[in-house]
Amino acid sequence: MTLDAWLKAAAEDAERRGLPGLKPLLETLARATAALRAADFNDRADQ
Amino acid sequence: MTTIEEFGRRLRARRTTSAQVTEECLQRIEADNPRLNAFIRVTADEAREQAREADREMAAGHDRGPLHGVPISIKDLLDIRGLPTTAASRVRDGHVAARDAAAIAHLRQAGAVFVGKTNLHEFAFGTTNEDSAFGPARNPHDPSRSPGGSSGGSAASVAAGMALATIGTDTGGSIRIPAAACGLVGLKPSFGEISIDGVVPLSRTMDHVGPLAQTVADACLVHHALLGDARAVLPAPMPLHGLRLAIPRRYFCDLLDPEVRARFDEAIDRLRAAGVHVDEIEIHHADAIATVYLHIVLSDAAAYHASTLDSMPERYTPNVRIRLEMGRYVLAEDYVRALAGREVLRREVDAALAQHDALVLPTMPIPAPPIGASTVQVGSATEPVRNVMLRLTQLFDVTGHPAIAMPTGRTTAGLPCGLQLVGCRMQTDALLRVALSCEPQITLGFPRSGNVGG
């Protein structure tokens, strides 16, 4: 799942659950996850 | 307030009793707890009975060791049999602990007297102690400011002379951050060293139990009691001359309040002048610390809270509820990436310690922040309070290395500053020997907390 798709789905789910205050936190989490995925310690199947 | 060491000497010389010092603590609680909100529950009657029993035992020649008759406060995250463990949350209304947490059982065996259970950030999930079902605890040095968190009530209780020591927990810095904010010594032992059985979890892979006290020696004595080694004697300090310390300058010293930086640099100068060899090293993946920590703690906490988030969401404080909900959206693949990052960071800290006795770095980049502040000015930068407070401590919860926070002077406004020493995994005693030898240089010339406001 791409981060954009994840963030869109998560924000929609939070809205549906009546938690609009979660959206800015999910955006913060998305930035942190992007940094985690970009780290050089991650293994890749093609390398 | 007397230290545990001083009290022990006076007790064994029959110049004081447990009942006397316990009564002094209870009087301080009665006088100052309405102002500081350090305690959720005061167990005055039980404490008086425990103290009388400790005195009866001592008079009969039964000496349980250094914690015999010592009044101690307990973070309300650890079970004491017969009492509620609130975790500062309405979610746990009606809970009563059936048995002591393992750490509490060891303290009881060591003869400690429990004066009460202290306030905390709800479920230990925060650094300021503001989000508590019982209201915020306040800093004895300045009650308009946070005592740090999550063990904020614990730290406030010792700094204000309401107990000789306290037991906290540390998952991202929750012992060391309040120690820095309140001018105390706070020890996070090596991961797994002290049992977390009977402790409400935040992250079972990063939760640590440990002491906050007025001195390194006191922290050492309480630590050994927590281990079940009630009769331990203090280890010999490491010889100061020739000691090898390392500062991880990049990242850890990039974002510091100017006065915190000044106190840290002054302490390093004093250590160098005393013959300590201080190098600089680098933790190469330091920039990944916060994101690795975040993905682990959010996932672990969300797993524990999932059912109550669904069944009784209104019982959480709003801020803690919303951050716990965030954890329910972390993907499994990202959690696994964070675990890989943890291993990399662990190896890098191990490598940094291979040629050194300890790492040395500030504990918290800022002095205690005002209660209610969401951001804080650090030099020219404006940063979220929570991120800044966790910045220098969370790495060693991720990796499990033992770390001890020590006070190192005050700002011009009188707020404590702190630094921490970090040792090799499963070598907390070696770290304590380093801390014992460095303490006079680190705390040189500054009054001890333990009677603030008294």
Side-chain angles (χ1 to χ4, degrees):
Chain A
M1 180 180 252
T2 66
L3 268 178
D4 285 346
W6 168 84
L7 181 57
K8 183 169 183 293
E12 287 173 359
D13 185 65
E15 190 74 34
R16 180 186 60 74
R17 296 175 60 223
L19 296 169
L22 197 49
K23 196 175 172 194
L25 295 186
L26 291 170
E27 289 166 354
T28 300
L29 178 59
R31 287 192 292 274
T33 304
L36 182 66
R37 291 184 179 188
D40 64 3
F41 50 70
N42 290 303
D43 293 332
R44 289 176 55 107
D46 62 350
Q47 289 175 5
Chain B
M1 182 55 67
T2 181
T3 65
I4 293 173
E5 270 195 306
E6 290 162 358
F7 167 70
R9 279 193 291 272
R10 289 168 53 82
L11 180 73
R12 286 164 185 84
R14 299 180 186 271
R15 288 165 49 215
T16 190
T17 63
S18 176
Q20 284 173 359
V21 74
T22 298
E23 201 57 44
E24 287 174 27
C25 290
L26 292 173
Q27 285 173 6
R28 292 300 301 268
I29 293 171
E30 191 175 340
D32 287 340
N33 198 50
R35 183 171 64 94
L36 299 176
N37 201 25
F39 283 83
I40 288 172
R41 173 180 293 266
V42 181
T43 51
D45 292 344
E46 297 92 329
R48 289 188 178 106
E49 179 49 40
Q50 281 183 293
R52 282 193 294 268
E53 178 61 21
D55 288 335
R56 278 193 293 268
E57 286 187 348
M58 188 61 82
H62 181 198
D63 185 344
R64 290 174 180 262
L67 259 58
H68 190 118
V70 174
I72 285 180
S73 63
I74 306 294
K75 185 178 188 177
D76 200 9
L77 202 66
L78 289 86
D79 285 347
I80 296 180
R81 68 175 184 240
L83 297 179
T85 307
T86 70
S89 181
R90 295 294 176 206
V91 170
R92 293 179 63 85
D93 280 357
H95 171 269
V96 176
R99 62 187 67 82
D100 286 338
I104 296 298
H106 283 150
L107 291 176
R108 199 185 288 280
Q109 189 63 31
V113 171
F114 305 134
V115 293
K117 304 196 77 178
T118 52
N119 205 349
L120 64 146
H121 209 113
E122 185 181 29
F123 283 111
F125 200 26
T127 58
T128 61
N129 216 132
E130 290 166 353
D131 298 309
S132 161
F134 301 89
R138 295 177 179 275
N139 193 317
H141 293 272
D142 176 352
S144 73
R145 292 179 180 266
S146 164
S150 63
S151 312
S154 285
S157 74
V158 177
M162 300 166 168
L164 269 56
T166 188
I167 306 303
T169 63
D170 192 315
T171 304
S174 287
I175 287 172
R176 291 162 289 152
I177 290 168
C182 292
L184 299 171
V185 172
L187 172 66
K188 182 200 81 70
S190 200
F191 179 74
E193 196 173 8
I194 307 290
S195 171
I196 55 171
D197 179 50
V199 181
V200 176
L202 175 55
S203 162
R204 290 196 195 277
T205 68
M206 294 193 287
D207 291 340
H208 302 71
V209 173
L212 294 95
Q214 296 175 70
T215 64
V216 174
D218 281 6
C220 186
L221 294 172
V222 179
H223 171 65
H224 277 273
L226 289 168
L227 282 168
D229 185 12
R231 294 183 181 280
V233 295
L234 287 175
M238 200 91 79
L240 203 55
H241 194 84
L243 201 67
R244 297 159 306 167
L245 302 181
I247 305 172
R249 183 79 65 181
R250 190 186 72 79
Y251 179 84
F252 297 94
C253 296
D254 288 351
L255 186 70
L256 296 178
D257 173 272
E259 290 197 87
V260 171
R261 184 187 301 281
R263 296 298 90 77
F264 177 72
D265 289 344
E266 290 158 9
I268 297 299
D269 288 346
R270 290 195 296 271
L271 288 167
R272 281 191 165 123
V276 176
H277 186 78
V278 184
D279 290 328
E280 297 199 5
I281 52 94
E282 182 162 358
I283 304 296
H284 296 287
H285 285 87
D287 294 322
I289 293 167
T291 186
V292 166
Y293 173 79
L294 185 70
H295 285 80
I296 295 173
V297 75
L298 285 180
S299 303
D300 288 352
Y304 178 71
H305 287 277
S307 64
T308 43
L309 284 169
D310 286 340
S311 64
M312 53 181 80
E314 73 288 350
R315 292 199 190 179
Y316 288 90
T317 61
N319 289 336
V320 169
R321 178 195 174 197
I322 207 77
R323 283 195 290 111
L324 287 170
E325 284 286 357
M326 178 167 55
R328 305 178 85 181
Y329 292 90
V330 175
L331 297 179
E333 64 177 85
D334 295 315
Y335 183 71
V336 171
R337 289 185 179 101
L339 296 182
R342 161 186 277 178
E343 289 306 315
V344 169
L345 289 166
R346 189 174 279 156
R347 286 197 298 270
E348 290 184 1
V349 177
D350 284 345
L353 284 162
Q355 303 298 324
H356 298 94
D357 297 299
L359 307 184
V360 57
L361 62 155
T363 306
M364 189 165 68
I366 54 171
I371 290 174
S374 58
T375 60
V376 63
Q377 194 74 22
V378 189
S380 59
T382 302
E383 299 285 336
V385 165
R386 175 183 162 81
N387 294 6
V388 170
M389 293 177 85
L390 283 169
R391 182 179 172 93
L392 308 181
T393 51
Q394 59 194 344
L395 171 61
F396 309 108
D397 295 285
V398 169
T399 65
H401 291 79
I404 185 166
M406 302 160 72
T408 183
R410 309 265 172 97
T411 65
T412 49
L415 297 172
C417 304
L419 66 68
Q420 56 181 332
L421 298 169
V422 180
C424 294
R425 284 186 284 147
M426 302 314 290
Q427 293 186 32
T428 303
D429 261 350
L431 174 66
L432 286 164
R433 291 184 65 204
V434 174
L436 282 166
S437 63
C438 293
E439 185 177 30
Q441 305 304 324
I442 289 172
T443 61
L444 185 71
F446 298 106
R448 212 173 57 214
S449 290
N451 200 28
V452 181

